[in-house]
Amino acid sequence: MSELIDSEVFLGYSTYSTIVLLKMLLMGPLTGYIRVTRKAFISAEDATAHGAKDEETIKKYMRTDSYVERVRRCHQNDLENIVPFVGIGLLYALTGPDLSTALLHFRIFAGSRIFHSIAYLLPLPQPSRGLSWLVGLGVTFSMAYRVLKTGMHL
């Protein structure tokens, strides 16, 4: 086990996995911040906690906001892409890939996810967001292929 932890590939995996997991983790508080600043809540108790005093104001604050939904979709996309990267990336690191190849995979994925969020939240015109998503997905599939090739001798 200590051999794995001392592995430069594993350290690279740990670093870039932590970066994208923290990015994903920060999307929750960002969603809450955008909800509060736009006064767009999903429950009456949230509306009341943020200044709604009567039924009319509560109903006014309980609404769907397009930018809150944009942030939520960005977070959902992170969940759909970062979680598989973390699992497949760990298996990939265990296959003993070349350090430079592994770091390239990890860095490209992290960069694509950060750019994807920027493109989603600003928003930048398509196909910027779609291409960044596709790059990250390609990295994950590339690592998965290596895992299957190594494990199944493909």
Side-chain angles (χ1 to χ4, degrees):
M1 183 65 140
S2 68
E3 186 178 301
L4 173 65
I5 294 171
D6 292 337
S7 160
E8 288 187 54
V9 170
F10 184 74
L11 292 174
Y13 162 76
S14 299
T15 299
Y16 289 99
S17 290
T18 300
I19 289 169
V20 294
L21 286 168
L22 283 172
K23 189 213 96 41
M24 182 176 69
L25 185 64
L26 290 172
M27 294 304 295
L30 179 62
T31 304
Y33 173 77
I34 299 297
R35 277 195 186 285
V36 170
T37 58
R38 293 190 174 239
K39 297 208 182 290
F41 303 106
I42 56 173
S43 66
E45 55 272 15
D46 291 344
T48 303
H50 291 92
K53 305 263 189 256
D54 54 44
E55 280 299 314
E56 185 179 323
T57 309
I58 289 172
K59 286 180 184 176
K60 180 180 160 190
Y61 284 5
M62 288 182 54
R63 62 187 176 85
T64 301
D65 179 86
S66 63
Y67 195 69
V68 171
E69 291 305 307
R70 178 173 287 278
V71 176
R72 288 182 68 236
R73 286 190 308 272
C74 184
H75 191 193
Q76 179 66 37
N77 193 277
D78 277 351
L79 290 166
E80 294 167 356
N81 289 274
I82 291 173
V83 172
F85 167 80
V86 169
I88 291 171
L90 176 60
L91 297 174
Y92 172 76
L94 293 172
T95 66
D98 178 66
L99 176 61
S100 62
T101 304
L103 289 176
L104 186 64
H105 277 89
F106 303 151
R107 288 173 178 162
I108 289 173
F109 183 84
S112 75
R113 293 312 305 169
I114 291 167
F115 183 78
H116 180 271
S117 292
I118 291 168
Y120 219 135
L121 298 175
L122 285 182
L124 297 177
Q126 282 287 30
S128 57
R129 188 179 82 233
L131 289 175
S132 63
W133 169 78
L134 196 57
V135 166
L137 187 65
V139 167
T140 303
F141 277 123
S142 174
M143 292 187 306
Y145 175 76
R146 163 73 188 231
V147 170
L148 291 173
K149 184 179 174 197
T150 302
M152 296 177 66
H153 307 291
L154 297 177

